[in-house]
Amino acid sequence: MLLMPEARATLKLAAPIILGELVQMSLHLIDTAMVGAINYQQIAAAALSLAVINIPFVICIGLTIAISQMVSMANGRNDAAKVSHYLYNGFCLCLLASVIIAIAIYAGSDIVFHLKQDPVIAALAEPFLQVMALSIIPVTLFFSLKMFTDGLEFTRTAMIISVLSMPLNVFINYLLIFGNFGFPRLELLGAGYGTLITRILMFIAMLFVLFRAKVFRRYVAVRSRQWTLKWQTWIELLYIGIPSSLQITMEAGAFAVSGILAGIVSPVAQAAHQIALIIASFTFMVSMGLAQAGSIRVSNAFGRSAWDKIY
C-alpha cells in the first residue's frame, strides 16, 4: 500500500536531478555537434581528451556523492550545525582533490601522444585536454554544492542553474568555436574554453544561491562555529566517497578505454564512438538520477530514525 506514495515521493525528488544530469549530457552533445560541423577530426580529438580525463574526473564526482549522504542524514536528525559542518569539510575535500587531479592532468597532457593515436588527432587533443583539466575544479565545486542542496531535498536549485547554463554554453561556443563577432576562431579549443567559462559561472551561481537564499541561511549562519576542518569528518566523507568513486570509475573506465581503442582503429571510428556514447549516456542519467534520489531519501530516513531513538 505504501509503494505508490513512496514511488511518487522518490520521483518528485528525482525528476530535477534527472533533468539536471540530462542537461549536463546535453552540453557535451552540443559541443560535439558544434565542433563536428568543422570536421570529424575535431570530434575524434574531443573523444580522445575525454577518454583520458574521464576516469580522474569521475573520482572527483564520486567524492561529492558523500556530501549528499552525510548532509541528508544530518538533516534527518534536524541538526543544522552538522549539515553546515559536512558542507564545509566536503567542499574543502573536493577542492583539494580537484586541484590535485587538474594539475596532474594538465602537467601530463602529452600522454595523448603515447596512446598510439593519430598524430593529428593527438595534436588537436592536447590543448583541449589542458583546458578541460582546469574545468574539473569549478565543476567539482559546483557538484559539491549541488550534492549539498540535493541532500536537503532542494533538487530544483542545481537543475535551474544547469538549464540556464545550456543557452549560455551554446552562445560562448558560437563565439569561440567559429570566431563570430570579432572573437578568434579557436574551433575545438574554443569548445574547451566555453565549457570552462560555463562551469565557472555555474559554480559562482550556486555559491551566490547558497549565501543569498533564505532556505540555506540557517546553514550559513553557523559557519563561524562549524566551518572548521576536522580529520574525523574527512574520514567519514572518504568512507562513503572512496567506494562511490571506485564504483563509478569501474563503470566509466570501460568507456574510456573503448574510446582510446577506437582511436587506434581510426579517427573516424573514434568520432563515431564518441557520438554513440554521448547519445547512449542519456538513458544512464535517468537511472542514475533515480538512484541518487533513493539514496538521499534512505539517508534522510535513517538519520530521522536515529534521532527518534535518541530523543
Side-chain angles (χ1 to χ4, degrees), residues 183-247:
F183 284 84
R185 181 184 173 92
L186 300 177
E187 299 183 346
L188 177 60
L189 187 59
Y193 282 121
T195 299
L196 174 62
I197 294 170
T198 302
R199 287 176 170 178
I200 291 173
L201 293 176
M202 289 173 66
F203 165 60
I204 292 173
M206 279 294 289
L207 202 61
F208 178 81
V209 171
L210 176 66
F211 280 93
R212 301 297 297 178
K214 291 182 179 179
V215 293
F216 304 124
R217 190 168 297 169
R218 61 186 295 215
Y219 308 109
V220 177
V222 295
R223 64 182 181 274
S224 61
R225 300 188 304 274
Q226 297 300 325
W227 286 16
T228 56
L229 297 176
K230 288 188 177 180
W231 177 241
Q232 183 60 39
T233 304
W234 281 41
I235 292 176
E236 292 177 21
L237 291 165
L238 290 171
Y239 184 78
I240 296 176
I242 290 177
S244 299
S245 295
L246 291 176
Q247 180 182 351

Side-chain angles (χ1 to χ4, degrees), residues 3 8 11 33 44 68 89 113-114 123 138 164 189 191 212 218-219:
L3 179 60
R8 283 194 294 268
L11 286 172
S68 66
N89 279 267
F113 293 103
H114 305 283
L164 292 177
L189 187 59
R212 301 297 297 178
R218 61 186 295 215
Y219 308 109

Side-chain angles (χ1 to χ4, degrees), residues 30-40 42-43 177-178 185:
I30 290 169
D31 285 349
T32 301
M34 295 184 79
V35 299
I38 300 173
N39 56 54
Y40 71 89
Q42 305 283 321
I43 300 179
I177 293 176
F178 304 110
R185 181 184 173 92

Side-chain angles (χ1 to χ4, degrees), residues 254-274:
F255 296 109
V257 172
S258 63
I260 295 173
L261 292 176
I264 296 176
V265 176
S266 73
V268 175
Q270 194 169 39
H273 176 271
Q274 175 68 4

Side-chain angles (χ1 to χ4, degrees), residues 238-308:
L238 290 171
Y239 184 78
I240 296 176
I242 290 177
S244 299
S245 295
L246 291 176
Q247 180 182 351
I248 301 175
T249 299
M250 293 301 103
E251 296 170 354
F255 296 109
V257 172
S258 63
I260 295 173
L261 292 176
I264 296 176
V265 176
S266 73
V268 175
Q270 194 169 39
H273 176 271
Q274 175 68 4
I275 295 171
L277 183 61
I278 291 177
I279 295 174
S281 297
F282 277 85
T283 56
F284 175 72
M285 290 300 108
V286 176
S287 58
M288 185 174 179
L290 286 170
Q292 288 180 7
S295 65
I296 290 170
R297 296 198 68 231
V298 168
S299 297
N300 202 317
F302 178 80
R304 190 177 300 113
S305 175
W307 177 269
D308 292 339

